[in-house]
C-alpha cells in the first residue's frame, strides 16, 4: 500500500505508513489482528489504564507485539483516562517499564463532557516526561499557542484533535488546522480524534498533516477489516494529493478548456 511519498520520521524513526491505529473496542482479538494487517499501520496504540482496569490484556498486547514483528509496527502506549499531570506521568513510567518503549501518547483529560485535553496539565506532564527521556506524542486541541507551549516543553511532534474523541465529526475547525500547518511548517502534525470516515482522513492529509490517528471509526465498523483498509487507502491518497498540489477553490467558474487566446496544434 505504501510508497516512497509516504515516508515520515516521528522522533527519528523512519516509517512508510502515515496511519496510526488504536486497539480498543474490537469485537475479537482476531478482528483486531486482521485490522492491523489490513491498515498497513506501523504504529498501534494501547491504553495502559484501561488494560489494568480490565484485570489483564486478554492477549491484545501479544497481538500487537506480533504485528510489530510481522509488519514493522511500533507500540505507542497512551495515558488515556488520566485527569492530572501527575497521574499521566506515573502511568507513562509504568508503560515504559511494562512495554519496554520510551514512546508515550500523552493524554490529560480536562473536561468530562467533551474529553477535551487539559492544556496546562498536558504541558506540565510533557515537560516532565521529556526530561525523563520519553518521546512524547501529546494529544491536544488545535489551539496554536498551546501547541507552541508543548514544543517549548520538548515535544517534537503534536497530535491536535479533529473533533472530540469518538464523535466521528471529522475536521470541525479546518481554519485552525490550516493555521497550525502554516505556522509550524517543520513540525510533524498528526490529526488525532474525531475522524469518522475515510474522507475525513483524506481531508486532513490534503491539508498537509503528516499522519492520522483513529480508533472507533475502524473498531466500531460493521466490517473493521475492510474499514481499516479503506482508511489506509484514503490516507495514502490524501498525502499524494497534497504533494501533487490540490487545486485551489475559485469563487467563479473557470473554463477547463478555454477556446480563445490559446494556439491549437493541428496535424
Amino acid at each position: 500500500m505504501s510508497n516512497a511519498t509516504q515516508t515520515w520520521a516521528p522522533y527519528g524513526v523512519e516509517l512508510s505508513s502515515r496511519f496510526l491505529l488504536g486497539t480498543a473496542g474490537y469485537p475479537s482479538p482476531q478482528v483486531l489482528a486482521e485490522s492491523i494487517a489490513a491498515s498497513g499501520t506501523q504504529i498501534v496504540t494501547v491504553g495502559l489504564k484501561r488494560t489494568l482496569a480490565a484485570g489483564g490484556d486478554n492477549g491484545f498486547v501479544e497481538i500487537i507485539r506480533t504485528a510489530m514483528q510481522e509488519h514493522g509496527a511500533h507500540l505507542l502506549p497512551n495515558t488515556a483516562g488520566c485527569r492530572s499531570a501527575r497521574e499521566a506521568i506515573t502511568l507513562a513510567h509504568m508503560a515504559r517499564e511494562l512495554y519496554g518503549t520510551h514512546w508515550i501518547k500523552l493524554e490529560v483529560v480536562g473536561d468530562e463532557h467533551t474529553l477535551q485535553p487539559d492544556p496546562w496539565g498536558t504541558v506540565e506532564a510533557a515537560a516532565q516526561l521529556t526530561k525523563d527521556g520519553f518521546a512524547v506524542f501529546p494529544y491536544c486541541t488545535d489551539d496554536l499557542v498551546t501547541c507552541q507551549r508543548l514544543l517549548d516543553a520538548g515535544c517534537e511532534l503534536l497530535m491536535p484533535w479533529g473533533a472530540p474523541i469518538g464523535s466521528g465529526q471529522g475536521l470541525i475547525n479546518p481554519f485552525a488546522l490550516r493555521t497550525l500547518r502554516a505556522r509550524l511548517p517543520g513540525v510533524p502534525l498528526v490529526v488525532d480524534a474525531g475522524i469518522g470516515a475515510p474522507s475525513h482522513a483524506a481531508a486532513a492529509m490534503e491539508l498537509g498533516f503528516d499522519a492520522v490517528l483513529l480508533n472507533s471509526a475502524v473498531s466500531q465498523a460493521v466490517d473493521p477489516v475492510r474499514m481499516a483498509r479503506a482508511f489506509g487507502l484514503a490516507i495514502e491518497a490524501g498525502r499524494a494529493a497534497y504533494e501533487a498540489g490540490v487545486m485551489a477553490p475559485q469563487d467563479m467558474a473557470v473554463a477547463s478548456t478555454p477556446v480563445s487566446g490559446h494556439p491549437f496544434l493541428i496535424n
Side-chain angles (χ1 to χ4, degrees):
M1 180 183 297
S2 299
N3 54 43
T5 194
Q6 296 293 94
T7 300
W8 68 307
Y11 285 99
V13 178
E14 188 168 321
L15 302 174
S16 58
S17 172
R18 295 173 180 267
F19 186 2
L20 288 70
L21 185 63
T23 57
Y26 286 81
S28 72
Q30 182 62 32
V31 171
L32 170 60
E34 292 177 4
S35 297
I36 291 173
S39 71
T41 183
Q42 290 179 299
I43 298 180
V44 289
T45 69
V46 60
L48 179 61
K49 189 169 185 177
R50 294 192 181 109
T51 297
L52 294 176
D57 61 37
N58 297 318
F60 276 67
V61 173
E62 186 57 38
I63 290 170
I64 295 171
R65 292 190 187 281
T66 299
M68 293 169 61
Q69 297 171 353
E70 295 181 354
H71 308 291
H74 296 260
L75 185 65
L76 179 61
N78 71 51
T79 63
C82 290
R83 267 60 182 177
S84 69
R86 181 176 180 180
E87 185 181 13
I89 292 167
T90 299
L91 197 63
H93 280 270
M94 292 175 64
R96 183 164 63 181
E97 184 173 343
L98 287 172
Y99 299 134
T101 177
H102 68 293
W103 280 15
I104 192 72
K105 179 188 173 186
L106 175 62
E107 296 184 39
V108 181
V109 175
D111 179 73
E112 296 299 326
H113 179 68
T114 63
L115 298 181
Q116 180 172 326
D118 177 348
W120 292 275
T122 303
V123 171
E124 178 186 347
Q128 184 60 54
L129 290 172
T130 298
K131 292 178 182 177
D132 293 342
F134 286 88
V136 181
F137 293 63
Y139 169 56
C140 55
T141 64
D142 51 22
D143 178 72
L144 174 61
V145 176
T146 299
C147 288
Q148 290 172 325
R149 295 296 177 269
L150 286 167
L151 295 175
D152 293 341
C155 297
E156 297 181 13
L157 174 150
L158 300 170
M159 304 181 75
W161 69 357
I165 292 174
S167 68
Q169 296 181 61
L171 310 183
I172 59 174
N173 194 345
F175 171 78
L177 294 175
R178 284 195 298 269
T179 300
L180 285 180
R181 183 68 289 170
R183 294 288 291 120
L184 305 173
V187 178
L189 299 177
V190 181
V191 170
D192 177 11
I195 299 297
S199 57
H200 299 159
M205 299 304 293
E206 288 172 6
L207 290 177
F209 278 70
D210 296 275
V212 171
L213 190 157
L214 58 96
N215 186 165
S216 300
V218 170
S219 67
Q220 303 304 310
V222 174
D223 187 338
V225 178
R226 290 188 70 185
M227 188 61 77
R229 184 175 298 112
F231 269 106
L233 292 169
I235 290 167
E236 184 172 346
R239 180 65 186 185
Y242 170 72
E243 293 183 345
V246 178
M247 177 181 176
Q250 305 289 330
D251 291 333
M252 301 294 290
V254 178
S256 59
T257 54
V259 295
S260 63
H262 295 269
F264 284 87
L265 299 178
I266 302 176
N267 294 327

